[in-house]
Amino acid sequence: MDATALDTALDLLTAVCLVLGSLMSLAAGIGMLRFPDLLSRMHAATKPQVLGLLLLLAAVGLQLRSWVVLPVLLLAWMFQLLTAPVSAHMVGRAGYRTKHLKRETLVLDDLDEVVARAAGGAHDAPAAPGAPDAPDARRS
């Protein structure tokens, strides 16, 4: 394969990655506007957006064709991969606790029991032996 054919193939692959990444990011934006509740929007904001960014960064790497930019692109994607799920989890829990969700859309509510126990106070849960609030703990 000569250099011209390789350049054409890499340009075509770059274009495919750019289009697919842009479509994934567009799908995330449309999902943020169109989905009915917080949990659905949270899903739309994280899943396709991370994949869209990966495709866009891959397109940048393919187009620049330099090993120097690869660590920067990987670092950018890793930060996104690490922060998007954590932020979505925190937003989801905050939305759940402040009742900013539609309960009728939940199939299974695993947090209901945990939140009910936490709202009941710390006296409902048994204290660990040796803990300051445990019955056998000595205060000085």
Side-chain angles (χ1 to χ4, degrees), residues 25-109:
S25 296
L26 178 66
I30 291 173
M32 289 290 293
L33 292 174
R34 300 287 302 182
F35 282 168
D37 65 337
L38 174 75
L39 299 178
S40 301
R41 289 180 184 149
M42 184 179 63
H43 177 77
T46 55
K47 304 278 193 236
Q49 191 268 334
V50 170
L51 180 59
L53 180 67
L54 172 67
L55 290 169
L56 290 172
L57 291 175
V60 169
L62 286 170
Q63 190 62 36
L64 293 178
R65 297 181 189 125
S66 172
W67 290 104
V68 177
V69 298
L70 186 63
V72 175
L73 297 176
L74 284 175
L75 187 64
W77 187 63
M78 288 303 294
F79 276 132
Q80 183 67 33
L81 194 62
L82 292 173
T83 57
V86 172
S87 62
H89 177 78
M90 298 306 289
V91 167
R93 283 191 66 107
Y96 186 90
R97 288 181 181 268
T98 58
K99 311 281 191 261
H100 284 87
L101 63 123
K102 295 182 179 180
R103 291 208 177 264
E104 63 272 5
T105 61
L106 294 177
V107 175
L108 179 65
D109 190 358

